């Protein structure tokens, strides 16, 4: 408001080194570097790529970066705000005064930048923007900030993530093998804020380094191959579980610094655990300090609420058709995979991206140019994203949470697919749980709930999930979904897990399920670890560990998870007894026989067809006493007879425990 000052430089040609002596209010005097003596740090190629929306390392230019220029250390701030009249960086280093550091504008790409000498690490900052109409907007957090103020604060922090010295080169060189379809993938899904907490008042979060000390060895001891983290990109509202992020480039400060998170990642890799991150490109919250109406226009979101407002979550939808927004999202994905060494991304809410009429009634959406309900711009983004990951983050995987029958979600791009490595099999999850919640006496009437999944089991590369969404909002925990008294509940759950680990598809289990948590998950409380003092809960935990061990050690249980040649029914139509049996084959033709009895009635002398003559040995039994089972017929070995049965040349007679799943292997 007071205007500008000017002074003669004589015949000196700018830029040249000089200092300013500044008299502050109250008589305080400082000698400072003048930010405006430094030229632009953006090269013509960077400006061109940013303008084209084709700068997949845009985070190297945008955001806050510590630089050394002409022997002077400072921070280069840069932000994309093409429709702003003026942008200033404000922070604790300039008294949050919009007049002190107005930024240089690059109109061709809409980027504003300034180099501010002397800004200290972890300084707080925001961007103060004036819209095209001259109206001052709410101060905005940096969309590309690497670190953020601890909520409820909303400022960004200066942080240099390049200072961490990674020591996981061996893992990074070999990680591609761990994500292949022929490899065992068993995922432990975790919400870091509620896995375990410190006792006492307050939130009591475990930090990233404490989680490295406790969570990583725990998951490893249970035999999981991967951890999957609910979103840890900075988010303001705990109740969103991270699914409404405002700082896509910043690991949440709730649990420590970016360097602490890098240590957590490195620890996972040292302990042979892959790490998958939930990633949310479908929508973002409308908090005024974040991306919403960023420069006084609908910059990141669609302006038309029929495309730009998500009715289910009261959030805004990214403008997938704008090339700068596509670039922002794809660059963010590559950032986590390459700069934080994530081994994969699980992409949230893909179905909501694919359909223009997702959760919308007639009249609330507009068809695409061909009259259909497909969001062609979102489809293009997804394909570009998967192509970029395959090209620039080799060895990583992408997993779609996609709840419809959209074809080719995990098919290669060259074959017309969306290019994901895997897709969650939500149909299998719902059908299996719908079947198991029935009283066993009624299960014969729901037999097809179990068999139907095999009619499409190989149409995609599937992950079988029992996720966080199934143990909240009145749906009850996995254990409490099961009918009967306590013995039957636990037996049902163990039989269910046995069936899941035997079934074709990679595995995912949300935390707490591995020991039969009784109550629903609550993001404000830690898991009920005290339950492990009871043999029933400890038994479930032991079973999950043994299932993972068996799954990893037996190629037949994982090598052909996504191939029809890896599966064959042995008993599919015994509705009266609710028995299911099938074979899982590896590439060499060796097999494991999986048999589930979903009634509380033992079945002595139950006869099944067998592909090979000889002796069969039980290698896992969910009803074993060590799992708090009855121990009926545990450890049995049986020999075939030369009697053809159900298309097989031999017959096997075995004793089926009640409410159980057993794995059998031919000997010799």
């Amino acid at each position: 408001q007071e205007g500008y000052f000017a002074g003669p430089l004589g015949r000196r040609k700018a830029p040249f080194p000089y200092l300013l002596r500044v008299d502050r209010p109250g008589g305080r005097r400082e000698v400072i570097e003048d930010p405006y003596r430094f030229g632009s740090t953006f090269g013509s190629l960077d400006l061109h790529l940013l303008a084209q929306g084709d700068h997949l390392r845009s985070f190297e230019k945008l955001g806050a970066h510590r630089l050394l220029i002409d022997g002077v250390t400072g921070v280069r701030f840069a932000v994309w705000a093409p429709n702003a009249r003026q942008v200033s960086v404000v922070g604790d280093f300039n008294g949050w005064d919009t007049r002190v550091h107005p930024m240089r504008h690059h109109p061709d790409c809409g980027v504003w930048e300034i180099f501010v000498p002397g800004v200290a690490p972890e300084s707080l900052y925001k961007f103060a923007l004036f819209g095209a109409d001259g109206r001052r907007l709410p101060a905005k957090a940096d969309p590309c900030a690497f670190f953020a103020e601890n909520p409820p604060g909303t400022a960004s922090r200066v942080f240099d993530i390049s200072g961490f010295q990674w020591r996981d080169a061996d893992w990074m060189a070999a990680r591609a093998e761990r994500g292949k379809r022929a490899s065992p993938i068993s995922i432990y899904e975790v919400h870091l804020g509620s896995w375990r907490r410190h006792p006492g008042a307050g939130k009591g979060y475990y930090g990233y380094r404490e989680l490295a000390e406790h969570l990583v060895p725990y998951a490893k001891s249970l035999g999981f191959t991967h951890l999957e983290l609910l979103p840890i990109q900075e988010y303001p509202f705990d109740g969103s579980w991270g699914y409404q992020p405002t700082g896509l480039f910043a690991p949440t400060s709730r649990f420590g610094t970016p360097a602490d998170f890098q240590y957590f990642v490195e620890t996972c890799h040292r302990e042979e655990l892959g790490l998958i991150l939930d990633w949310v490109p479908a929508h973002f919250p409308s908090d005024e300090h974040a991306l919403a109406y960023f420069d006084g226009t609908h910059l990141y979101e669609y302006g038309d609420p029929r495309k730009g407002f998500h009715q289910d979550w009261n959030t805004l939808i990214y403008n997938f058709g704008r090339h700068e927004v596509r670039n922002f999202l794809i660059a963010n994905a590559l950032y986590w995979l390459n700069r934080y060494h994530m081994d994969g991304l699980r992409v949230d809410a893909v179905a909501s991206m694919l359909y223009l009429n997702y959760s919308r009634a007639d009249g609330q959406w507009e068809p695409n140019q061909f009259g259909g309900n497909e969001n062609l711009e979102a489809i293009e983004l997804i394909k570009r994203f998967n192509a970029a990951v395959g090209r620039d983050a080799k060895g990583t995987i992408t997993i779609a949470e996609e709840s419809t029958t959209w074809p080719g979600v995990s098919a290669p791009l060259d074959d017309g697919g969306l290019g994901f490595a895997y897709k969650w099999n939500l149909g299998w999850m719902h059908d299996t749980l719908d079947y198991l919640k029935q009283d066993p006496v009624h299960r014969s009437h729901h037999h097809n709930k179990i068999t139907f999944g095999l009619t499409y089991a190989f149409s995609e590369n599937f992950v079988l999930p029992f996720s966080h969404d199934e143990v909240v909002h009145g749906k009850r925990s996995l254990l409490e979904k099961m009918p009967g008294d306590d013995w039957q509940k636990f037996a049902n759950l163990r039989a269910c897990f046995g069936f899941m680990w035997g079934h074709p598809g990679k595995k995912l289990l949300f935390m707490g399920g591995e020991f039969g948590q009784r109550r629903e998950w609550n993001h404000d409380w830690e898991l009920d670890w005290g339950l492990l003092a009871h043999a029933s809960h400890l038994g479930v935990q032991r079973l999950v560990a043994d299932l993972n061990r068996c799954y990893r050690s037996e190629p037949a249980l994982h090598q052909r998870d996504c191939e029809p040649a890896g599966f064959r029914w042995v008993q599919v139509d015994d509705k009266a007894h609710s028995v299911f049996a099938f074979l899982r084959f590896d590439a060499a033709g060796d097999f494991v026989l999986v048999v589930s009895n979903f009634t509380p009635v033992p079945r002595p002398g139950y006869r099944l067809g067998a592909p090979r003559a000889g002796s069969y040995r039980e290698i896992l039994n969910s009803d074993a006493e060590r799992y708090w089972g009855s121990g009926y017929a545990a450890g049995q070995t049986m020999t075939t007879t030369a009697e053809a049965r159900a298309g097989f040349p031999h017959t096997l007679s075995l004793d089926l425990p009640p409410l159980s799943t057993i794995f059998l292997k031919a000997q010799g």
Side-chain angles (χ1 to χ4, degrees), residues 119-162:
V119 175
E122 300 197 30
S123 293
L124 295 172
Y125 71 98
K126 283 187 175 182
F127 294 115
L129 298 91
F130 291 81
D133 59 0
R135 182 174 58 89
R136 182 171 176 178
L137 303 171
K140 296 289 188 177
D142 182 356
C144 294
F146 300 137
F147 193 26
E149 187 178 16
N150 204 348
T154 58
S156 303
R157 283 190 183 275
V158 174
F159 200 93
D160 182 6
I161 65 168
S162 65

Side-chain angles (χ1 to χ4, degrees), residues 7 53 98 123 140 152-153 227 267 312 358 391 417 447 486 547 622 668:
T98 62
S123 293
K140 296 289 188 177
L227 285 175
T267 303
D312 286 357
Y358 184 89
R391 181 183 64 246
H447 198 77
D486 245 22
L547 284 168
S622 72

Side-chain angles (χ1 to χ4, degrees), residues 312-381:
D312 286 357
W313 303 308
N314 292 321
T315 52
L316 302 175
I317 300 172
Y318 287 103
N319 185 342
F320 303 124
R322 184 160 190 165
H323 59 263
E324 299 98 334
V325 175
R326 286 199 305 261
N327 189 84
F328 173 76
L329 292 170
I330 295 172
N332 180 254
L334 296 176
Y335 167 82
W336 288 104
L337 295 170
N338 292 328
R339 297 306 172 90
Y340 276 99
H341 295 195
M342 295 290 108
D343 301 296
L345 297 174
R346 176 265 194 187
V347 183
D348 182 61
V350 171
S352 76
M353 300 172 67
L354 293 174
Y355 298 97
L356 294 167
N357 62 338
Y358 184 89
S359 283
R360 295 182 189 275
D362 290 343
Q364 295 179 335
W365 63 284
E366 185 177 29
N368 63 34
Q369 65 197 68
F370 304 108
N373 66 343
E374 303 88 357
N375 188 332
L376 302 179
E377 294 169 338
I379 295 166
E380 179 65 17
L381 165 70

